[in-house]
């Protein structure tokens, strides 16, 4: 199975697949309080069937080359993940996202894993643009985009309705030439 080191602390990045639904659900139960205020991702995996269905949707996206999902393991425990929520090879644009449980915070895991995804998108797949979209109120996510060297391109005011609250969405992006120059 594919697995990639994220550094000297033993953190690993590897695909999340439907057969891992039980492990993913246990992780999502630990992550739910951090994830659910910002995105509906946590609410999509509340029992074994829904966790398996979410992972199957991403397996189908990967087969169609329109998305992918990866887990971040630390000391053998799934503590977070990164994904290509949208992957459009024809236009050369994709969107990445992330999530963590408390045990994964403050270790730079999202930064390291996101760099691997961005490198792959530009260097292997020839993408032109990688986007990051986050609620303006989600300061951790906005900070992650900034630390990756992305440019804040704008705000879609009250564009995202979640739990009955309208969130402003910030659009961050990096272009292939910018990414390569920064390396």
């Amino acid at each position: 199975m594919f697995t990639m080191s994220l550094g000297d602390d033993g953190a690993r990045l590897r695909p999340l697949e439907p057969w891992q639904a039980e492990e993913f659900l246990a992780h999502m139960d630990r992550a739910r309080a951090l994830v659910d205020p910002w995105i509906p991702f946590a609410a999509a995996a509340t029992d074994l069937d829904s966790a398996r269905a979410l992972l199957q949707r991403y397996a189908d996206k990967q087969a169609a080359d329109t998305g992918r999902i990866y887990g971040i393991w630390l000391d053998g425990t799934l503590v977070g993940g990164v994904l290509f929520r949208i992957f459009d090879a024809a236009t050369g644009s994709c969107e990445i996202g992330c999530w963590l449980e408390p045990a994964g915070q403050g270790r730079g895991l999202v930064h390291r894993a996101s760099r691997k995804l961005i490198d792959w998108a530009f260097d292997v797949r020839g993408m032109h643009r990688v986007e990051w979209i986050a609620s303006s109120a989600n300061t951790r996510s906005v900070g992650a985009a900034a630390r990756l060297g992305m440019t804040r391109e704008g705000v879609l005011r009250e564009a995202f309705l979640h739990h009955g609250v309208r969130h402003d969405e910030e659009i961050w992006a990096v272009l292939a030439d910018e990414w390569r120059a920064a390396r």
Side-chain angles (χ1 to χ4, degrees):
M1 175 203 275
F2 155 79
T3 183
M4 182 179 291
S5 173
L6 290 177
D8 295 338
D9 59 359
R12 309 291 296 175
L13 180 69
R14 68 178 195 243
L16 269 170
E17 300 176 357
W19 64 269
Q20 296 166 301
E22 191 171 335
E23 180 179 20
F24 177 70
L25 177 60
H27 155 65
M28 198 49 55
D29 286 343
R30 295 186 303 269
R32 199 170 313 282
L34 288 175
V35 175
D36 194 52
W38 310 115
I39 55 175
F41 191 74
T46 56
D47 58 29
L48 192 54
D49 287 341
S50 60
R52 186 175 294 110
L54 187 149
L55 295 177
Q56 185 61 54
R57 278 195 303 277
Y58 274 92
D60 294 343
K61 281 182 162 208
Q62 182 167 336
D65 199 26
T66 60
R68 294 168 187 267
I69 189 168
Y70 301 92
I72 300 170
W73 277 262
L74 187 61
D75 299 323
T77 300
L78 179 61
V79 296
V82 289
L83 55 79
F84 287 109
R85 194 180 78 77
I86 297 169
F87 194 89
D88 188 340
T91 65
S93 292
C94 60
E95 178 193 338
I96 65 172
C98 67
W99 73 95
L100 282 174
E101 66 180 62
Q105 289 186 312
R107 301 170 179 262
L109 296 172
V110 163
H111 182 81
R112 291 182 273 160
S114 295
R115 288 189 63 81
K116 297 285 187 188
L117 263 64
I118 295 169
D119 284 344
W120 181 83
F122 289 144
D123 297 343
V124 176
R125 292 307 307 277
M127 299 301 275
H128 177 72
R129 174 186 172 86
V130 175
E131 296 180 352
W132 185 287
I133 300 173
S135 168
S136 294
N138 187 348
T139 57
R140 286 184 176 268
S141 187
V142 168
R147 283 187 298 279
L148 284 164
M150 293 182 156
T151 299
R152 183 176 181 253
E153 296 183 332
V155 176
L156 301 175
R157 296 177 310 135
E158 297 184 5
F160 181 62
L161 180 64
H162 184 57
H163 292 308
V165 176
R166 292 214 164 265
H167 293 260
D168 291 352
E169 286 187 320
E170 294 193 16
I171 310 298
W172 291 74
V174 63
L175 304 178
D177 290 344
E178 295 168 340
W179 186 256
R180 289 185 186 106
R183 281 191 294 200

